[in-house]
Coordinates of all heavy atoms in Angstrom, one line a residue:
M1 N -100.3 178.5 -67.3 CA -100.1 179.9 -67.6 C -98.8 180.5 -67.2 O -98.2 181.2 -67.9 CB -101.3 180.7 -67.0 CG -101.2 182.2 -67.3 SD -102.6 183.0 -66.7 CE -102.0 184.6 -66.7
F2 N -98.4 180.1 -66.0 CA -97.2 180.7 -65.5 C -95.9 180.2 -66.2 O -94.9 180.8 -66.1 CB -97.0 180.4 -64.0 CG -98.0 181.2 -63.1 CD1 -99.1 180.6 -62.6 CD2 -97.7 182.5 -62.9 CE1 -100.0 181.4 -61.8 CE2 -98.6 183.3 -62.2 CZ -99.7 182.7 -61.6
S3 N -96.0 179.1 -67.0 CA -94.9 178.6 -67.7 C -94.5 179.6 -68.8 O -93.4 179.5 -69.4 CB -95.1 177.2 -68.3 OG -96.2 177.3 -69.2
F4 N -95.3 180.5 -69.2 CA -95.0 181.5 -70.2 C -94.2 182.7 -69.6 O -93.7 183.5 -70.4 CB -96.3 182.0 -70.9 CG -96.8 181.0 -71.9 CD1 -97.8 180.2 -71.6 CD2 -96.2 180.9 -73.2 CE1 -98.3 179.3 -72.5 CE2 -96.7 180.0 -74.1 CZ -97.8 179.2 -73.7
F5 N -94.1 182.7 -68.3 CA -93.4 183.8 -67.6 C -92.3 183.2 -66.7 O -92.4 182.1 -66.2 CB -94.3 184.7 -66.8 CG -95.4 185.3 -67.7 CD1 -96.6 184.7 -67.8 CD2 -95.1 186.5 -68.3 CE1 -97.6 185.3 -68.6 CE2 -96.1 187.1 -69.1 CZ -97.3 186.5 -69.3
G6 N -91.3 184.0 -66.5 CA -90.2 183.6 -65.6 C -89.7 184.8 -64.8 O -90.0 186.0 -65.3
I7 N -89.1 184.6 -63.7 CA -88.5 185.6 -62.9 C -87.0 185.5 -62.9 O -86.5 184.4 -62.8 CB -89.0 185.6 -61.4 CG1 -90.5 185.7 -61.4 CG2 -88.4 186.7 -60.6 CD1 -91.1 187.0 -61.8
F8 N -86.3 186.6 -63.1 CA -84.9 186.6 -63.2 C -84.3 187.7 -62.3 O -84.8 188.8 -62.4 CB -84.4 186.8 -64.6 CG -83.0 186.7 -64.9 CD1 -82.3 185.4 -65.0 CD2 -82.2 187.8 -65.0 CE1 -81.0 185.3 -65.2 CE2 -80.8 187.7 -65.2 CZ -80.2 186.5 -65.3
K9 N -83.3 187.4 -61.6 CA -82.6 188.4 -60.7 C -81.3 188.9 -61.4 O -80.5 188.0 -61.7 CB -82.4 187.9 -59.3 CG -81.8 189.0 -58.4 CD -81.7 188.4 -57.0 CE -81.2 189.5 -56.1 NZ -81.1 189.1 -54.7
V10 N -81.2 190.2 -61.5 CA -80.0 190.7 -62.2 C -78.8 190.7 -61.2 O -78.9 191.0 -60.0 CB -80.2 192.2 -62.6 CG1 -78.9 192.8 -63.1 CG2 -81.3 192.3 -63.6
R11 N -77.7 190.2 -61.7 CA -76.4 190.1 -60.9 C -75.4 190.9 -61.6 O -75.0 190.5 -62.7 CB -76.0 188.7 -60.7 CG -76.9 187.9 -59.8 CD -76.7 188.3 -58.4 NE -77.5 187.5 -57.5 CZ -77.9 187.8 -56.4 NH1 -77.6 189.0 -55.9 NH2 -78.7 187.0 -55.6
G12 N -74.9 192.0 -61.1 CA -73.9 192.8 -61.8 C -74.5 194.1 -62.3 O -75.7 194.3 -62.3
N13 N -73.6 194.9 -62.9 CA -74.1 196.3 -63.4 C -73.8 196.5 -64.9 O -73.7 197.6 -65.3 CB -73.4 197.4 -62.6 CG -73.9 197.4 -61.2 OD1 -75.1 197.5 -61.0 ND2 -73.0 197.3 -60.2
S14 N -73.6 195.4 -65.6 CA -73.3 195.5 -67.0 C -74.4 196.1 -67.9 O -74.2 196.6 -69.0 CB -72.8 194.2 -67.6 OG -73.9 193.3 -67.7
M15 N -75.6 196.2 -67.3 CA -76.8 196.7 -68.1 C -77.2 198.0 -67.5 O -78.3 198.5 -67.8 CB -77.9 195.7 -68.1 CG -77.6 194.4 -68.9 SD -77.4 194.8 -70.6 CE -79.0 195.4 -71.1
A16 N -76.4 198.6 -66.6 CA -76.7 200.0 -66.0 C -76.7 201.0 -67.1 O -75.9 200.9 -68.1 CB -75.8 200.3 -64.9
P17 N -77.5 202.0 -67.1 CA -78.5 202.4 -66.1 C -79.9 201.7 -66.3 O -80.7 201.9 -65.4 CB -78.6 203.9 -66.2 CG -78.4 204.1 -67.7 CD -77.4 203.0 -68.1
I18 N -80.1 201.0 -67.3 CA -81.4 200.4 -67.5 C -81.8 199.4 -66.5 O -82.9 199.4 -65.9 CB -81.5 199.8 -69.0 CG1 -81.4 200.9 -70.0 CG2 -82.8 199.0 -69.1 CD1 -81.3 200.3 -71.4
L19 N -80.8 198.5 -66.2 CA -81.0 197.5 -65.2 C -79.9 197.6 -64.2 O -78.7 197.8 -64.5 CB -81.0 196.1 -65.8 CG -82.0 195.8 -66.9 CD1 -81.8 194.4 -67.5 CD2 -83.4 195.9 -66.3
K20 N -80.2 197.4 -62.9 CA -79.2 197.5 -61.8 C -79.1 196.2 -61.1 O -80.0 195.3 -61.1 CB -79.6 198.6 -60.9 CG -79.6 200.0 -61.6 CD -80.0 201.1 -60.7 CE -80.0 202.4 -61.5 NZ -80.5 203.5 -60.7
N21 N -78.0 196.0 -60.4 CA -77.7 194.8 -59.6 C -78.9 194.6 -58.6 O -79.4 195.6 -58.0 CB -76.4 195.0 -58.8 CG -76.0 193.7 -58.1 OD1 -76.0 192.6 -58.7 ND2 -75.7 193.8 -56.9
D22 N -79.4 193.4 -58.5 CA -80.5 193.0 -57.6 C -81.9 193.4 -58.1 O -82.9 193.2 -57.4 CB -80.3 193.5 -56.2 CG -79.2 192.8 -55.5 OD1 -78.9 191.6 -55.9 OD2 -78.6 193.4 -54.6
D23 N -82.0 194.0 -59.3 CA -83.3 194.2 -59.9 C -83.9 192.8 -60.2 O -83.2 191.8 -60.5 CB -83.3 194.9 -61.3 CG -83.1 196.4 -61.1 OD1 -83.1 196.9 -60.0 OD2 -82.8 197.1 -62.2
Y24 N -85.3 192.7 -60.1 CA -86.0 191.5 -60.5 C -86.7 191.8 -61.9 O -87.2 192.9 -62.0 CB -87.0 191.1 -59.5 CG -86.4 190.4 -58.3 CD1 -86.0 191.2 -57.2 CD2 -86.1 189.1 -58.3 CE1 -85.4 190.6 -56.1 CE2 -85.5 188.5 -57.2 CZ -85.2 189.2 -56.1 OH -84.6 188.6 -55.0
L25 N -86.6 190.8 -62.8 CA -87.2 190.9 -64.1 C -88.3 189.9 -64.3 O -88.2 188.8 -63.9 CB -86.1 190.7 -65.2 CG -84.8 191.4 -65.0 CD1 -83.8 191.0 -66.1 CD2 -85.0 192.9 -65.0
V26 N -89.4 190.4 -64.9 CA -90.4 189.5 -65.4 C -90.1 189.2 -66.8 O -90.0 190.2 -67.6 CB -91.8 190.0 -65.2 CG1 -92.9 189.1 -65.8 CG2 -92.1 190.3 -63.7
V27 N -89.9 188.0 -67.2 CA -89.5 187.6 -68.5 C -90.6 186.8 -69.2 O -91.1 185.8 -68.7 CB -88.2 186.8 -68.4 CG1 -87.7 186.3 -69.8 CG2 -87.1 187.5 -67.7
L28 N -90.9 187.2 -70.4 CA -91.9 186.5 -71.3 C -91.0 185.4 -72.0 O -90.2 185.7 -72.8 CB -92.5 187.4 -72.3 CG -93.5 186.7 -73.3 CD1 -94.7 186.1 -72.6 CD2 -94.0 187.7 -74.3
R29 N -91.3 184.1 -71.6 CA -90.5 183.0 -72.0 C -90.6 182.8 -73.5 O -91.7 183.0 -74.1 CB -90.9 181.7 -71.3 CG -90.7 181.7 -69.8 CD -89.2 181.7 -69.4 NE -88.5 180.6 -70.0 CZ -88.4 179.3 -69.6 NH1 -89.1 179.0 -68.5 NH2 -87.8 178.4 -70.3
N30 N -89.6 182.4 -74.2 CA -89.6 182.1 -75.6 C -89.9 180.6 -75.8 O -89.0 179.8 -75.9 CB -88.2 182.4 -76.2 CG -88.2 182.2 -77.7 OD1 -89.1 182.3 -78.4 ND2 -87.0 181.8 -78.2
K31 N -91.2 180.3 -75.8 CA -91.6 178.9 -76.0 C -91.7 178.4 -77.4 O -91.9 177.2 -77.6 CB -93.0 178.8 -75.4 CG -93.1 179.0 -73.9 CD -92.4 177.8 -73.2 CE -92.6 177.9 -71.7 NZ -92.0 176.7 -71.0
F32 N -91.5 179.3 -78.4 CA -91.6 178.9 -79.8 C -90.4 179.1 -80.6 O -90.4 179.1 -81.8 CB -92.8 179.7 -80.4 CG -94.1 179.5 -79.6 CD1 -94.5 180.5 -78.8 CD2 -94.8 178.4 -79.7 CE1 -95.7 180.4 -78.1 CE2 -96.0 178.2 -79.0 CZ -96.4 179.2 -78.2
N33 N -89.2 179.3 -79.9 CA -87.9 179.4 -80.6 C -87.9 180.6 -81.6 O -87.3 180.5 -82.7 CB -87.4 178.1 -81.3 CG -86.9 177.2 -80.3 OD1 -86.4 177.5 -79.2 ND2 -87.0 175.9 -80.6
W34 N -88.6 181.7 -81.3 CA -88.6 182.9 -82.1 C -87.3 183.7 -81.9 O -86.7 183.5 -80.8 CB -89.7 183.8 -81.8 CG -91.1 183.2 -82.2 CD1 -91.3 182.3 -83.1 CD2 -92.3 183.5 -81.6 NE1 -92.7 182.0 -83.2 CE2 -93.3 182.8 -82.2 CE3 -92.7 184.4 -80.6 CZ2 -94.6 182.8 -81.9 CZ3 -94.1 184.4 -80.2 CH2 -95.0 183.7 -80.9
L35 N -86.9 184.5 -82.8 CA -85.8 185.4 -82.6 C -86.3 186.7 -82.0 O -87.4 187.1 -82.3 CB -85.1 185.7 -84.0 CG -84.3 184.6 -84.5 CD1 -83.9 184.9 -86.0 CD2 -83.0 184.4 -83.7
P36 N -85.5 187.3 -81.2 CA -85.9 188.6 -80.6 C -85.7 189.8 -81.6 O -85.0 189.6 -82.6 CB -85.0 188.8 -79.4 CG -83.8 188.1 -79.8 CD -84.2 186.9 -80.6
N37 N -86.2 190.9 -81.3 CA -86.0 192.1 -82.1 C -84.8 192.8 -81.7 O -84.4 192.8 -80.5 CB -87.2 193.1 -82.0 CG -88.5 192.5 -82.5 OD1 -88.5 191.8 -83.6 ND2 -89.6 192.7 -81.9
T38 N -84.1 193.5 -82.6 CA -83.0 194.3 -82.2 C -83.4 195.4 -81.2 O -84.5 196.0 -81.4 CB -82.4 195.0 -83.5 OG1 -82.0 194.0 -84.4 CG2 -81.2 195.9 -83.2
G39 N -82.6 195.6 -80.2 CA -82.9 196.5 -79.1 C -83.6 195.9 -77.9 O -83.7 196.6 -76.9
S40 N -84.2 194.7 -78.1 CA -84.8 194.0 -77.0 C -83.9 193.7 -75.9 O -82.7 193.4 -76.1 CB -85.5 192.7 -77.4 OG -86.5 193.0 -78.3
I41 N -84.3 193.7 -74.6 CA -83.5 193.3 -73.5 C -84.0 191.8 -73.3 O -85.2 191.6 -73.1 CB -83.8 194.1 -72.2 CG1 -83.5 195.6 -72.5 CG2 -82.9 193.6 -71.1 CD1 -82.1 195.9 -72.9
V42 N -83.0 190.9 -73.3 CA -83.4 189.5 -73.3 C -82.5 188.7 -72.2 O -81.5 189.2 -71.8 CB -83.1 188.8 -74.6 CG1 -84.0 189.4 -75.7 CG2 -81.7 188.9 -75.1
V43 N -83.0 187.6 -71.8 CA -82.3 186.6 -71.0 C -82.0 185.4 -71.9 O -82.9 184.9 -72.6 CB -83.1 186.2 -69.8 CG1 -82.4 185.1 -69.0 CG2 -83.4 187.4 -68.9
V44 N -80.7 185.0 -71.9 CA -80.3 183.8 -72.7 C -79.6 182.9 -71.7 O -79.1 183.2 -70.7 CB -79.4 184.2 -73.9 CG1 -80.1 185.1 -74.8 CG2 -78.1 184.7 -73.4
D45 N -79.7 181.6 -72.1 CA -79.0 180.6 -71.4 C -77.7 180.3 -72.2 O -77.7 179.5 -73.1 CB -79.9 179.3 -71.3 CG -79.3 178.3 -70.3 OD1 -78.3 178.6 -69.6 OD2 -79.9 177.2 -70.2
H46 N -76.7 181.1 -71.8 CA -75.4 181.0 -72.5 C -74.7 179.7 -72.2 O -74.6 179.3 -71.0 CB -74.5 182.2 -72.2 CG -73.3 182.4 -73.0 ND1 -72.2 181.7 -72.8 CD2 -73.2 183.1 -74.1 CE1 -71.3 182.1 -73.7 NE2 -71.9 182.9 -74.5
P47 N -74.1 179.0 -73.1 CA -73.4 177.7 -72.8 C -72.3 177.8 -71.8 O -72.0 176.8 -71.1 CB -73.0 177.2 -74.2 CG -73.1 178.3 -75.2 CD -74.0 179.3 -74.6
D48 N -71.6 178.9 -71.8 CA -70.4 179.0 -70.9 C -70.8 179.8 -69.6 O -70.2 179.7 -68.6 CB -69.3 179.7 -71.6 CG -68.7 178.9 -72.7 OD1 -68.8 177.7 -72.7 OD2 -68.3 179.5 -73.7
L49 N -71.7 180.8 -69.7 CA -72.0 181.7 -68.6 C -73.3 181.5 -67.9 O -73.6 182.2 -66.9 CB -72.0 183.2 -69.2 CG -70.7 183.6 -70.0 CD1 -70.9 184.9 -70.7 CD2 -69.5 183.6 -69.0
G50 N -74.1 180.6 -68.3 CA -75.4 180.4 -67.7 C -76.4 181.4 -68.1 O -76.2 182.0 -69.2
K51 N -77.4 181.7 -67.3 CA -78.4 182.7 -67.7 C -77.8 184.1 -67.5 O -77.4 184.4 -66.4 CB -79.7 182.5 -66.9 CG -80.5 181.3 -67.4 CD -81.9 181.3 -66.8 CE -82.7 180.1 -67.3 NZ -82.2 178.8 -66.8
I52 N -77.9 184.9 -68.6 CA -77.4 186.3 -68.6 C -78.4 187.2 -69.2 O -79.2 186.7 -70.0 CB -76.0 186.4 -69.3 CG1 -76.1 185.9 -70.7 CG2 -75.0 185.7 -68.5 CD1 -74.8 186.2 -71.5
V53 N -78.4 188.4 -68.9 CA -79.3 189.4 -69.5 C -78.5 190.4 -70.3 O -77.5 190.9 -69.8 CB -80.2 190.1 -68.4 CG1 -79.4 190.8 -67.4 CG2 -81.2 191.0 -69.0
K54 N -78.9 190.7 -71.5 CA -78.2 191.6 -72.4 C -79.2 192.2 -73.3 O -80.3 191.8 -73.4 CB -77.1 190.9 -73.2 CG -76.0 190.2 -72.4 CD -75.1 191.2 -71.7 CE -74.1 190.5 -70.8 NZ -73.6 191.4 -69.8
K55 N -78.7 193.2 -74.1 CA -79.5 193.9 -75.1 C -79.1 193.3 -76.5 O -77.9 193.1 -76.8 CB -79.2 195.4 -75.1 CG -80.0 196.2 -76.1 CD -79.7 197.7 -75.9 CE -80.6 198.5 -76.8 NZ -80.3 199.9 -76.7
V56 N -80.1 193.0 -77.3 CA -79.9 192.5 -78.6 C -79.4 193.6 -79.5 O -80.0 194.6 -79.7 CB -81.2 191.9 -79.2 CG1 -81.0 191.4 -80.7 CG2 -81.7 190.8 -78.4
S57 N -78.2 193.3 -80.1 CA -77.5 194.4 -80.9 C -77.8 194.1 -82.4 O -77.8 195.1 -83.2 CB -76.0 194.4 -80.6 OG -75.4 193.1 -80.8
S58 N -78.0 192.9 -82.8 CA -78.3 192.6 -84.2 C -78.9 191.2 -84.3 O -78.7 190.3 -83.5 CB -77.0 192.7 -85.1 OG -76.2 191.6 -84.8
V59 N -79.7 191.1 -85.4 CA -80.3 189.8 -85.7 C -80.0 189.5 -87.2 O -80.1 190.3 -88.1 CB -81.9 189.8 -85.6 CG1 -82.5 188.5 -86.0 CG2 -82.3 190.2 -84.2
D60 N -79.4 188.3 -87.4 CA -78.9 188.0 -88.7 C -79.2 186.5 -89.0 O -78.7 185.6 -88.4 CB -77.4 188.2 -88.8 CG -76.8 187.9 -90.2 OD1 -77.5 188.1 -91.2 OD2 -75.6 187.5 -90.2
G61 N -80.2 186.3 -89.9 CA -80.6 185.0 -90.3 C -81.2 184.3 -89.1 O -82.2 184.8 -88.6
D62 N -80.7 183.2 -88.7 CA -81.3 182.5 -87.6 C -80.5 182.6 -86.2 O -80.7 181.7 -85.4 CB -81.5 181.0 -87.9 CG -80.1 180.3 -88.3 OD1 -79.1 181.0 -88.3 OD2 -80.1 179.1 -88.4
T63 N -79.7 183.6 -86.1 CA -79.0 183.9 -84.9 C -79.0 185.4 -84.5 O -79.4 186.2 -85.4 CB -77.5 183.4 -84.9 OG1 -76.8 184.2 -85.9 CG2 -77.4 182.0 -85.2
F64 N -78.6 185.7 -83.3 CA -78.5 187.1 -83.0 C -77.3 187.4 -82.1 O -76.7 186.5 -81.5 CB -79.8 187.6 -82.3 CG -80.2 186.9 -81.0 CD1 -79.8 187.5 -79.8 CD2 -80.9 185.7 -81.0 CE1 -80.2 186.9 -78.6 CE2 -81.2 185.1 -79.8 CZ -80.9 185.7 -78.6
S65 N -76.9 188.7 -82.0 CA -75.8 189.1 -81.1 C -76.3 190.0 -80.0 O -77.4 190.6 -80.2 CB -74.8 189.9 -81.9 OG -74.2 189.1 -82.9
M66 N -75.6 190.0 -78.9 CA -76.0 190.7 -77.7 C -74.8 191.6 -77.2 O -73.7 191.3 -77.5 CB -76.4 189.8 -76.6 CG -77.4 188.8 -77.0 SD -77.7 187.7 -75.6 CE -76.1 187.0 -75.3
A67 N -75.2 192.6 -76.4 CA -74.1 193.4 -75.8 C -74.7 193.9 -74.5 O -75.9 194.1 -74.3 CB -73.7 194.5 -76.7
G68 N -73.7 194.2 -73.6 CA -74.1 194.9 -72.3 C -74.0 196.4 -72.6 O -73.7 196.8 -73.7
L69 N -74.3 197.2 -71.6 CA -74.3 198.6 -71.8 C -73.2 199.4 -71.2 O -73.1 200.6 -71.3 CB -75.7 199.2 -71.2 CG -76.9 198.6 -71.8 CD1 -78.2 199.1 -71.2 CD2 -77.0 198.8 -73.3
T70 N -72.3 198.7 -70.5 CA -71.1 199.3 -69.9 C -69.8 198.7 -70.3 O -69.8 197.6 -70.9 CB -71.2 199.2 -68.3 OG1 -71.1 197.9 -68.0 CG2 -72.5 199.8 -67.8
S71 N -68.7 199.4 -70.0 CA -67.4 198.9 -70.4 C -67.1 197.6 -69.6 O -66.2 196.9 -70.0 CB -66.4 200.0 -70.2 OG -66.3 200.4 -68.9
S72 N -67.7 197.4 -68.5 CA -67.4 196.2 -67.6 C -68.1 195.0 -68.2 O -67.9 193.9 -67.7 CB -67.9 196.5 -66.2 OG -69.3 196.6 -66.1
S73 N -69.0 195.1 -69.2 CA -69.7 194.0 -69.7 C -68.8 193.1 -70.5 O -67.8 193.5 -71.1 CB -70.8 194.5 -70.6 OG -71.6 193.4 -71.1
I74 N -69.1 191.8 -70.6 CA -68.4 190.8 -71.5 C -68.5 191.3 -72.9 O -69.6 191.7 -73.4 CB -69.0 189.4 -71.3 CG1 -68.8 189.0 -69.8 CG2 -68.4 188.4 -72.2 CD1 -69.6 187.8 -69.5
S75 N -67.5 191.2 -73.7 CA -67.4 191.6 -75.1 C -68.4 190.8 -76.0 O -68.6 189.6 -75.7 CB -66.0 191.5 -75.6 OG -65.7 190.2 -75.8
Q76 N -68.8 191.4 -77.0 CA -69.7 190.7 -78.0 C -69.0 189.5 -78.6 O -69.6 188.5 -78.8 CB -70.2 191.7 -79.1 CG -71.3 192.5 -78.7 CD -71.8 193.3 -79.9 OE1 -71.0 193.9 -80.7 NE2 -73.1 193.3 -80.2
S77 N -67.7 189.7 -78.8 CA -67.0 188.5 -79.4 C -66.9 187.3 -78.5 O -67.0 186.2 -78.9 CB -65.6 189.0 -79.9 OG -64.8 189.4 -78.8
H78 N -66.8 187.6 -77.2 CA -66.9 186.5 -76.2 C -68.3 185.9 -76.1 O -68.4 184.7 -75.9 CB -66.4 187.0 -74.9 CG -66.3 185.9 -73.8 ND1 -65.3 184.9 -73.8 CD2 -67.1 185.5 -72.8 CE1 -65.6 184.0 -72.9 NE2 -66.6 184.4 -72.2
L79 N -69.3 186.7 -76.2 CA -70.6 186.2 -76.1 C -71.0 185.3 -77.3 O -71.7 184.4 -77.2 CB -71.6 187.3 -75.9 CG -71.6 188.1 -74.6 CD1 -72.5 189.3 -74.7 CD2 -72.0 187.2 -73.5
G80 N -70.5 185.7 -78.5 CA -70.8 185.0 -79.7 C -72.2 185.2 -80.2 O -73.0 186.0 -79.6
R81 N -72.6 184.4 -81.2 CA -73.9 184.5 -81.8 C -74.8 183.5 -80.9 O -74.3 182.5 -80.4 CB -73.9 184.0 -83.2 CG -73.0 184.7 -84.1 CD -73.3 186.1 -84.6 NE -74.6 186.2 -85.2 CZ -75.2 187.3 -85.5 NH1 -74.7 188.5 -85.2 NH2 -76.4 187.4 -86.1
V82 N -76.1 183.9 -80.8 CA -77.0 183.1 -80.0 C -78.1 182.5 -80.9 O -78.7 183.2 -81.7 CB -77.6 184.0 -78.9 CG1 -78.6 183.2 -78.0 CG2 -76.5 184.6 -78.0
S83 N -78.4 181.3 -80.7 CA -79.5 180.6 -81.4 C -80.8 180.8 -80.7 O -80.8 181.0 -79.4 CB -79.2 179.2 -81.7 OG -79.4 178.4 -80.5
P84 N -82.0 180.7 -81.3 CA -83.2 180.7 -80.6 C -83.4 179.7 -79.5 O -84.1 179.9 -78.6 CB -84.3 180.5 -81.7 CG -83.6 180.9 -83.0 CD -82.1 180.6 -82.8
A85 N -82.7 178.6 -79.7 CA -82.8 177.5 -78.6 C -82.2 178.0 -77.3 O -82.6 177.5 -76.2 CB -82.0 176.3 -79.1
N86 N -81.3 179.0 -77.3 CA -80.7 179.5 -76.1 C -81.4 180.8 -75.6 O -81.0 181.3 -74.6 CB -79.2 179.7 -76.3 CG -78.5 178.5 -76.5 OD1 -78.2 178.1 -77.6 ND2 -78.1 177.8 -75.4
Y87 N -82.3 181.3 -76.4 CA -83.0 182.5 -76.1 C -84.1 182.2 -75.1 O -85.1 181.6 -75.4 CB -83.6 183.1 -77.4 CG -84.6 184.2 -77.2 CD1 -84.5 185.2 -76.2 CD2 -85.6 184.4 -78.2 CE1 -85.4 186.2 -76.1 CE2 -86.5 185.4 -78.1 CZ -86.4 186.3 -77.1 OH -87.3 187.4 -77.0
W88 N -83.9 182.5 -73.8 CA -84.8 182.1 -72.7 C -86.1 183.0 -72.7 O -87.1 182.5 -72.5 CB -84.1 182.3 -71.4 CG -84.7 181.5 -70.3 CD1 -84.7 180.1 -70.1 CD2 -85.3 182.0 -69.1 NE1 -85.3 179.8 -69.0 CE2 -85.7 181.0 -68.3 CE3 -85.5 183.3 -68.7 CZ2 -86.4 181.1 -67.1 CZ3 -86.2 183.5 -67.5 CH2 -86.6 182.4 -66.7
G89 N -85.9 184.3 -73.0 CA -87.1 185.2 -73.0 C -86.8 186.6 -73.1 O -85.6 187.0 -72.9
R90 N -87.8 187.5 -73.2 CA -87.7 188.9 -73.3 C -88.2 189.6 -72.1 O -89.2 189.2 -71.5 CB -88.5 189.4 -74.5 CG -88.5 190.9 -74.7 CD -89.3 191.3 -76.0 NE -90.6 190.7 -76.1 CZ -91.7 191.4 -75.6 NH1 -91.6 192.5 -75.0 NH2 -92.9 190.8 -75.7
V91 N -87.4 190.5 -71.6 CA -87.8 191.3 -70.4 C -89.0 192.1 -70.7 O -89.0 192.9 -71.6 CB -86.6 192.1 -69.8 CG1 -87.1 193.0 -68.7 CG2 -85.4 191.2 -69.5
I92 N -90.1 192.0 -69.8 CA -91.3 192.8 -70.0 C -91.5 193.7 -68.8 O -92.4 194.6 -68.9 CB -92.5 191.9 -70.4 CG1 -92.8 190.9 -69.2 CG2 -92.3 191.2 -71.7 CD1 -94.1 190.2 -69.4
W93 N -90.9 193.5 -67.7 CA -91.1 194.3 -66.5 C -89.9 194.2 -65.6 O -89.3 193.2 -65.5 CB -92.4 193.8 -65.8 CG -93.0 194.8 -64.8 CD1 -92.7 194.9 -63.5 CD2 -93.9 195.8 -65.2 NE1 -93.5 196.0 -63.0 CE2 -94.2 196.5 -64.0 CE3 -94.6 196.1 -66.4 CZ2 -95.1 197.5 -64.0 CZ3 -95.5 197.1 -66.3 CH2 -95.8 197.8 -65.2
V94 N -89.6 195.4 -65.0 CA -88.5 195.5 -64.0 C -89.0 195.9 -62.7 O -89.8 196.9 -62.6 CB -87.4 196.5 -64.5 CG1 -86.3 196.6 -63.5 CG2 -86.9 196.1 -65.9
F95 N -88.6 195.2 -61.6 CA -88.9 195.5 -60.2 C -87.6 195.9 -59.5 O -86.7 195.1 -59.5 CB -89.6 194.4 -59.5 CG -90.9 194.1 -60.0 CD1 -91.1 193.1 -60.9 CD2 -92.0 194.7 -59.5 CE1 -92.4 192.8 -61.4 CE2 -93.3 194.4 -59.9 CZ -93.5 193.5 -60.9
R96 N -87.6 197.1 -58.9 CA -86.5 197.6 -58.2 C -86.7 197.5 -56.7 O -87.8 197.6 -56.2 CB -86.2 199.0 -58.5 CG -85.7 199.2 -60.0 CD -84.5 200.1 -60.0 NE -83.7 199.8 -61.2 CZ -84.0 200.4 -62.4 NH1 -84.9 201.3 -62.5 NH2 -83.3 200.0 -63.5
K97 N -85.7 197.3 -55.9 CA -85.8 197.3 -54.5 C -86.2 198.7 -54.0 O -85.8 199.7 -54.5 CB -84.4 197.0 -53.8 CG -84.1 195.5 -54.0 CD -82.8 195.3 -53.4 CE -82.8 194.0 -52.5 NZ -81.6 193.8 -51.8

């Protein structure tokens, strides 16, 4: 049962004010390679950056784009398109210190 959920710790402020540095997230794991909905806050396993949390900005065919919420976030062009295989899960709960 626990394999359907994961815990993720936020590092950085690119998703402020929704998520803050050191917040803990409960993530519903993507076990079936589904695409997320536009506007969802997701964790992806980025090939260059490792696990990161971003907001889904668009879904197109079998890939999606993400963005942070602040000017300090990595640009969408650098993040690139994400496939369902790299979509780790959707944030369903936030715990703050």
Side-chain angles (χ1 to χ4, degrees):
M1 177 174 162
F2 287 104
S3 65
F4 284 98
F5 299 94
I7 303 293
F8 184 81
K9 186 175 183 179
V10 175
R11 294 286 184 202
N13 290 305
S14 69
M15 292 296 294
I18 294 174
L19 303 175
K20 297 179 181 176
N21 189 47
D22 291 334
D23 282 352
Y24 283 92
L25 311 176
V26 176
V27 178
L28 179 61
R29 297 289 309 274
N30 182 30
K31 292 291 189 178
F32 303 104
N33 285 333
W34 293 335
L35 285 168
N37 294 322
T38 300
S40 295
I41 305 296
V42 298
V43 175
V44 300
D45 194 4
H46 192 276
D48 299 327
L49 304 169
K51 286 193 177 72
I52 57 173
V53 59
K54 298 293 176 201
K55 184 176 182 179
V56 176
S57 56
S58 68
V59 178
D60 184 28
D62 60 352
T63 61
F64 63 97
S65 294
M66 308 173 301
L69 301 177
T70 67
S71 60
S72 67
S73 183
I74 297 169
S75 70
Q76 276 188 312
S77 61
H78 182 75
L79 291 171
R81 307 284 304 168
V82 180
S83 75
N86 294 95
Y87 169 35
W88 200 68
R90 179 175 52 90
V91 175
I92 60 171
W93 201 267
V94 179
F95 291 95
R96 293 227 157 86
K97 285 178 135 183

